[in-house]
Amino acid sequence: VQSETAELASPFLETFESPLSEFTWKKELVGSYGWKRVEKSGYDDGFASVCVVDEKTPAGVQFSLTSPNFDLSLHKDLSPILSFRTAYSMRVSGSAGERVVVYGSDNCGASWSVLKSLIGITSLSSTNQFIPDWEPTSNSDWKLQIVNLDQKGFENSTNMLVRFEVTTNAGNSVFIDDVNVDRNVLST
C-alpha cells in the first residue's frame, strides 16, 4: 500500500549509497534473480541497483524497481526532468536483449504511464561489447537517460512514483544509478 502523501520532495537524487534505499525502494526478487543493491558496480565506483539476469533466467520474466513517492509541486512553472544512468551490455550479438520500461504514476500506483522504453542494443546498451555476465567497471560504461516530465503530464504531481521494469531475455543484468528528479539533468 502506497501512502497518499509524498515521502520525498523534488529535487530528489537516489544514488543507492545509503543503506536506507534497501527499505525505501520496492524491489522484486525471485531467488537470486531480480533487483538488489550492489557495491562497486555503480557510477563513480559506488553502489547501484541491479536487476540480476543471466542465461538461465527464463525469457519474458518481469522484475520491477519502484521508487518512494515524491512531490514535484515545488517546481512551480519549471519543467521537472527525470534523469538516470543505465549500464548494460548484450550477452550475444543478434539477440534482442533485455527491455526496460520506465513508468510514472501519480495515483499511488493504481495506473501507470510509460515514460521511456529502452531496448537491448538500440537504446539500453551502454557498450558495443558482447560479454556474458558483464558488469560496469568505469564511468564510461554508463549511459545517461532523460525524460521530460511535463511532456508526460506529471509536472504538477504531488505524489509521483517511478517504476523501472526489466523484461528478461536470458541476457545480462541491467544496472540503474543516480535517479534524479529535478529541473536540471544530471551532469555527464
Side-chain angles (χ1 to χ4, degrees):
V1 176
Q2 290 287 340
S3 171
E4 291 184 20
T5 305
E7 299 168 46
L8 304 167
S10 177
F12 168 78
L13 175 63
E14 177 62 74
T15 62
F16 301 102
E17 297 299 314
S18 170
L20 293 177
S21 66
E22 282 291 308
F23 306 105
T24 56
W25 285 71
K26 180 181 173 191
K27 297 179 274 315
E28 288 184 333
L29 186 66
V30 178
S32 60
Y33 298 109
W35 290 98
K36 64 182 185 176
R37 180 175 168 256
V38 292
E39 188 176 8
K40 300 263 185 224
S41 292
Y43 189 80
D44 284 338
D45 199 31
F47 284 86
S49 196
V50 61
C51 184
V52 178
V53 176
D54 63 23
E55 74 278 3
K56 295 176 187 166
T57 311
V61 176
Q62 295 179 327
F63 295 103
S64 295
L65 173 69
T66 306
S67 73
N69 45 2
F70 46 89
D71 184 351
L72 297 176
S73 65
L74 299 175
H75 290 287
K76 305 286 185 223
D77 296 325
L78 303 171
S79 300
I81 294 170
L82 167 66
S83 57
F84 55 97
R85 298 182 198 282
T86 57
Y88 175 78
S89 175
M90 301 283 290
R91 176 174 285 278
V92 294
S93 178
S95 80
E98 272 55 47
R99 181 179 75 218
V100 177
V101 179
V102 184
Y103 294 95
S105 175
D106 61 1
N107 60 10
C108 298
S111 62
W112 295 90
S113 299
V114 174
L115 301 176
K116 189 169 188 123
S117 292
L118 306 166
I119 301 171
I121 200 154
T122 59
S123 55
L124 178 60
S125 189
S126 56
T127 176
N128 293 326
Q129 301 173 353
F130 298 94
I131 302 172
D133 304 317
W134 178 87
E135 292 184 12
T137 58
S138 73
N139 285 356
S140 64
D141 289 336
W142 290 85
K143 188 174 194 177
L144 183 62
Q145 309 285 353
I146 299 169
V147 178
N148 188 337
L149 293 174
D150 67 347
Q151 293 179 353
K152 301 294 182 176
F154 289 100
E155 64 273 11
N156 296 314
S157 177
T158 58
N159 194 14
M160 184 176 182
L161 295 168
V162 173
R163 182 174 79 194
F164 297 92
E165 184 177 82
V166 171
T167 302
T168 64
N169 194 26
N172 275 333
S173 297
V174 176
F175 295 79
I176 303 279
D177 204 359
D178 294 348
V179 179
N180 183 53
V181 180
D182 199 348
R183 59 185 173 186
N184 301 308
V185 175
L186 286 169
S187 61
T188 53

